[in-house]
């Protein structure tokens, strides 16, 4: 249920805003300048642990300052002590932090609390419009409070690496879900980009497509660690992909 009232800045008499910044596929070179500026100026910053370590003021130590650290991992006594000391330094760099974990309700509560006093910048990987925290934010807060800075999605980046137009492609996800049978069925000329996860990996996708009658000679590209120095792009047939070592958390592009 969306909040009934707006968080208001008592000085400016304008609502504070949630700025959802797409941080692209991972390499900072592929972030748009507007997202970089919003993150650099943020007084309240929300994001995954890797994003906080990369972009928050304080670097890797920022993860320990993130509120709700207990819901990230069961904290050791040493971790609690480190977090407490780091928390004391928070006032010096002027940035409150929250690490996004599976406790999405906790993250939303953090945003709600801090929105009463400041804008909140939420970092999401790729583009905010494609399978991100934006859905939960829109369900929880008034839409007029949310500004979105687009980013380059992993899917978009994969098609670029393959020098392949994607205006006629279909985009599906095996990341924490399974597409419906009708979406997986083979039709001649289909071009599909898939997100994968560690369990439903490249080999799993290849096997599923074979089950749904995709031809064994369909072109199958596995795009992993996109934008990083150890990026890999491998293109093969669907038949070869079923025997290839599985690659998780990658983008698969299939041309039938």
């Amino acid at each position: 249920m969306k909040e009934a009232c707006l968080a208001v800045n008592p000085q400016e008499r304008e609502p504070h805003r949630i700025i959802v910044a797409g941080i692209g596929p991972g390499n900072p070179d592929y972030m748009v300048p507007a997202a970089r500026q919003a993150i650099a100026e943020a007084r309240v910053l929300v994001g995954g642990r890797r994003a906080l370590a990369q972009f928050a003021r304080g670097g890797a130590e920022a993860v320990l300052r993130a509120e709700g650290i207990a819901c990230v991992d069961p904290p050791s006594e040493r971790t609690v002590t480190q977090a407490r000391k780091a928390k004391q330094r928070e006032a010096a760099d002027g940035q409150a932090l929250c690490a996004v974990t599976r406790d999405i309700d906790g993250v939303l509560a953090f945003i709600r609390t801090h929105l009463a006093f400041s804008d909140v910048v939420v970092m999401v990987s790729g583009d905010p419009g494609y399978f991100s925290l934006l859905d939960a934010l829109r369900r929880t807060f008034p839409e007029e409070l949310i500004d979105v800075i687009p980013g380059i999605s992993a899917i978009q980046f994969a098609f670029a690496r393959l020098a392949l137009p994607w205006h006629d492609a279909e985009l599906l996800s095996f990341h924490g879900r399974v597409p419906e049978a009708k979406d997986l069925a083979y039709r001649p000329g289909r071009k599909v980009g898939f997100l994968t996860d560690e369990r439903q990996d490249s080999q799993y996708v290849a096997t599923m497509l074979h089950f749904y009658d995709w031809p064994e000679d369909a072109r199958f590209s596995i795009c992993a660690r996109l934008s990083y120095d150890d990026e890999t792009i491998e293109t093969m047939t669907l038949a070869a992909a079923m025997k290839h070592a599985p690659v998780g958390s990658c983008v698969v592009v299939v041309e039938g």
Side-chain angles (χ1 to χ4, degrees), residues 38-54:
I39 293 167
E41 296 176 353
R43 292 178 58 196
V44 181
L45 188 62
V46 176
R49 285 176 289 180
R50 186 175 70 178
L52 287 176
Q54 193 168 10

Side-chain angles (χ1 to χ4, degrees), residues 1 5 10 18 37 42 45 56 63 75 85 125 133 140 142 147 150 153 156 164 169 174 195 207 218 233 238 242 245:
M1 181 173 153
C5 60
I18 300 170
Q37 181 177 348
L45 188 62
V63 179
K85 289 180 179 179
S125 61
L133 192 61
T140 306
D147 295 330
S153 70
Q156 181 183 1
L164 192 63
F174 275 98
L195 294 179
T207 302
I233 308 287
L238 177 66
M242 288 190 288

Side-chain angles (χ1 to χ4, degrees), residues 193-210:
F194 295 96
L195 294 179
T196 73
D197 59 25
E198 289 300 322
R199 181 178 177 183
Q200 298 175 139
D201 51 35
S202 60
Q203 192 178 76
Y204 180 91
V205 174
T207 302
M208 287 289 285
L209 295 182
H210 183 260

